[in-house]
Every structure is written in structure tokens, then in C-alpha cells.
Amino acid sequence: QVQLVESGGGLVQPGGSLRLSCAASGTFFRIYSMNWYRQAPGKQREFVAAFPFSGSANYADSVKDRFTISRDNAKNTVYLQMNSLKPEDTAVYYCNVVVDAVGSGRTRNYWGQGTQVTVSS
């Protein structure tokens, strides 16, 4: 019912910046939260940032001083501005959306396809 299209990944030097975007489309009643996770090779997926539509943004400690999550509610799109990037930020970044599909009050999670972010000299 929901598809997420991610873009903005790529190769960047340490200290550089990237902006990721994720647009949700399909049939759903309401979006409760749009979030970002990442997964490095050989590691488990970890939380990066979240932006509940009814609340304020929150971040993992590892990125909160450098990353900013924002949203465009009218376009059902979430962004992740990543500044002062480090090699440790290298990972596949996944967009996640939590929705009420049919107005039932029950939520479902959907995931984007992932976009590669590589921070290297």
C-alpha cells in the first residue's frame, strides 16, 4: 500500500555533506512517523533519526550534533541533512514510515530500498 523512494546517497569526502530524501506514496490514511535507519556491512541496523508527525524530532547520540531531519507534510517527504560526515557514517541508509493504512488506528511499517552513503577520501 505504501512505497518509499529514497535518493541523495553517494560518495563524499570526510567533512562533507549529503542530503537524503524519502518520498512516500500509495494508499494510507495517516503517517505517524517518518524515520531513518542505517546499516553498515557486518553490523546490525541502527536507528538514526525520527520525526513523528505529532511530535518533535529525535536523534541517535552518534549523529545528533551533525544530522538534521526535516519533513514536508504536504509532500509526504522526509529529509536527512548530514553534515560533517565521518567514515563511520558509511552505511546503507533506509527510510522507514509508520502509517495507519485504513484509518483503523493500527499501524504498519514500511521500508525504503536503501541508499548507499560512502564517506571516504
Side-chain angles (χ1 to χ4, degrees):
Q1 291 183 317
V2 178
Q3 291 186 331
L4 304 176
V5 179
E6 301 181 34
S7 63
L11 175 65
V12 65
Q13 294 183 346
S17 298
L18 285 173
R19 190 191 190 207
L20 307 183
S21 65
C22 175
S25 62
T27 302
F28 50 85
F29 180 74
R30 180 174 296 167
I31 297 176
Y32 286 119
S33 183
M34 298 190 77
N35 319 299
W36 290 98
Y37 290 74
R38 67 186 182 186
Q39 187 168 20
K43 300 184 66 177
Q44 293 184 325
R45 187 173 299 183
E46 65 175 348
F47 169 78
V48 176
F51 208 156
F53 276 36
S54 62
S56 59
N58 59 92
Y59 303 89
D61 289 343
S62 60
V63 307
K64 65 180 181 181
D65 295 328
R66 300 179 293 119
F67 292 9
T68 302
I69 189 171
S70 61
R71 67 191 184 196
D72 185 335
N73 291 353
K75 296 181 178 180
N76 294 323
T77 299
V78 65
Y79 306 92
L80 186 67
Q81 179 66 47
M82 304 184 294
N83 299 324
S84 301
L85 283 162
K86 306 174 181 179
E88 305 92 271
D89 296 316
T90 296
V92 177
Y93 284 70
Y94 295 94
C95 178
N96 164 256
V97 62
V98 180
V99 306
D100 182 342
V102 296
S104 67
R106 295 186 291 273
T107 61
R108 289 183 172 88
N109 285 16
Y110 294 88
W111 294 89
Q113 80 282 2
T115 184
Q116 177 71 48
V117 172
T118 302
V119 185
S120 176
S121 299

